[in-house]
Amino acid sequence: MKAIGIHEFGGPDVLRVLELPEPQAGPGEVRIRVHAAAVSPTDVLLRTGGHAVRMPGRRPPFVPGMDAAGVIDQLGPGADDRLALGQRVVALVPFTGPHGGAYAEQVVVPAPSVVPAPEGAGFPEASTLLMNAMTARLALDVLSVPRHGTVAVSGAAGAVGGYAVELAKADGLTVIADAAERDGELVRGFGADHVVERGAGIAGRIRALVPEGVAGAVDGSVQTSEIVPAIADGGALAELRGWAGPAERDIRVYPVMVPDRIDDTAGLDALCRQAEKGVLTLRVAEVLPAAEAARAHRLLEAGGLRGRVVLDFS
């Protein structure tokens, strides 16, 4: 089969088309014929060597990608009976594991990480959902803000931030989100109750709306200590890139990592059903042939995307 991977860490041009052996589904596993794989920042981190510490003893080539959409073409012994050959599915792919990531014509994934794709969504759209939406879901869950409480979301125009706004509204929360001027209507469209200007001074702008501070914040744009003053005493902050504080005034800081929920079948399925109902918005910035993965990484690293770049393996 063809895959996209690397033999050495480096810039986008280290990505190569590879010929790899066809993988076989083992006990409790599912093989998916991939039609689309979304490109995300964690893929860049693998390409540049940031995930090497998570792959001790593994040798290249390394295949990036956590988000796959496609069709089941093989069921391993003891695979979940809720899944069937020919079924359209999406999967969170454990790319640091022995089978590698989603940038491949076929991927083998533990059955609990595979769920039916959202009805009505094409493969490119479906591939953009799980990793970012589950990250947002995990962030809101660790904050545990009661219904009718108020949360702040930074990076609200981005993939995780947009889902955090939509999920928070579905949870019955009031949302204060940030946005550049050009993204204001986009973020309001996600359901944000209030939109403040992004960037330096965000905490002061949030406090102007909620003088006592918000109960919790999802830091989708890695503002870390800059957003802490917006949070009420004893509140909570969900961080997406590993920052763990410290924060004053008994504010709890939770670094959230999506692999913690990679086998949460019920949670993954719930996100797909929310996408079906329009609660979550699937956003594709551009679809590129898989062989143009280097270009996809350059687009991502250039910033400013509103949606995911998707690699087409169909």
Side-chain angles (χ1 to χ4, degrees):
M1 68 161 186
K2 286 185 169 58
I4 305 296
I6 61 171
H7 283 278
E8 59 186 6
F9 301 125
D13 290 334
V14 301
L15 290 161
R16 295 281 188 274
V17 177
L18 308 174
E19 291 284 348
L20 298 179
E22 182 180 89
Q24 303 299 315
E29 294 180 328
V30 172
R31 190 175 71 191
I32 300 168
R33 171 61 177 93
V34 176
H35 286 256
V39 177
S40 68
T42 196
D43 306 347
V44 173
L45 199 59
L46 174 65
R47 191 200 77 219
T48 56
H51 285 302
V53 69
R54 299 177 59 195
M55 301 182 290
R58 289 278 313 284
R59 298 184 62 81
F62 302 124
V63 176
M66 282 197 75
D67 269 314
V71 175
I72 293 176
D73 72 353
Q74 188 182 59
L75 295 168
D80 201 318
D81 60 8
R82 66 192 171 79
L83 302 172
L85 290 173
Q87 188 175 17
R88 296 175 74 256
V89 292
V90 288
L92 265 184
V93 182
F95 67 99
T96 58
H99 296 300
Y103 290 13
E105 290 179 325
Q106 292 173 306
V107 295
V108 170
V109 184
S113 301
V114 181
V115 293
E119 290 289 339
F123 289 121
E125 291 78 15
S127 75
T128 67
L129 176 65
L130 287 185
M131 187 181 69
N132 293 301
M134 182 52 87
T135 301
R137 181 70 270 165
L138 178 55
L140 290 167
D141 288 350
V142 299
L143 295 181
S144 299
V145 176
R147 191 172 181 84
H148 306 304
T150 301
V151 296
V153 178
S154 75
V160 175
Y163 284 139
V165 173
E166 292 181 321
L167 288 169
K169 290 306 300 176
D171 290 349
L173 304 178
T174 296
V175 179
I176 302 173
D178 74 346
E181 184 176 355
R182 70 185 179 96
D183 291 322
E185 287 307 309
L186 174 69
V187 172
R188 290 184 184 91
F190 295 149
D193 298 281
H194 307 280
V195 177
V196 300
E197 183 183 354
R198 65 173 296 176
I202 183 176
R205 291 188 285 277
I206 293 171
R207 282 276 185 168
L209 293 168
V210 185
E212 69 277 18
V214 295
V218 178
D219 188 15
S221 56
V222 199
Q223 302 217 27
T224 61
S225 59
E226 289 288 323
I227 201 170
V228 169
I231 302 170
D233 294 0
L237 173 63
E239 279 293 329
L240 308 187
R241 298 288 179 87
W243 188 71
E248 67 281 359
R249 299 181 290 111
D250 296 322
I251 292 171
R252 293 154 288 134
V253 181
Y254 297 104
V256 298
M257 304 293 286
V258 76
D260 293 343
R261 292 277 183 91
I262 200 166
D263 58 355
D264 178 5
T265 307
L268 297 173
D269 188 66
L271 294 169
C272 288
R273 308 295 72 83
Q274 286 181 299
E276 283 178 359
K277 296 173 183 175
V279 173
L280 298 177
T281 305
L282 305 177
R283 293 187 288 158
V284 175
E286 190 165 353
V287 179
L288 297 175
E292 295 185 27
R295 180 184 167 206
H297 277 228
R298 282 191 288 269
L299 286 170
L300 178 62
E301 290 183 290
L305 293 173
R306 295 299 174 256
R308 284 280 173 239
V309 179
V310 175
L311 298 178
D312 180 5
F313 284 89
S314 61

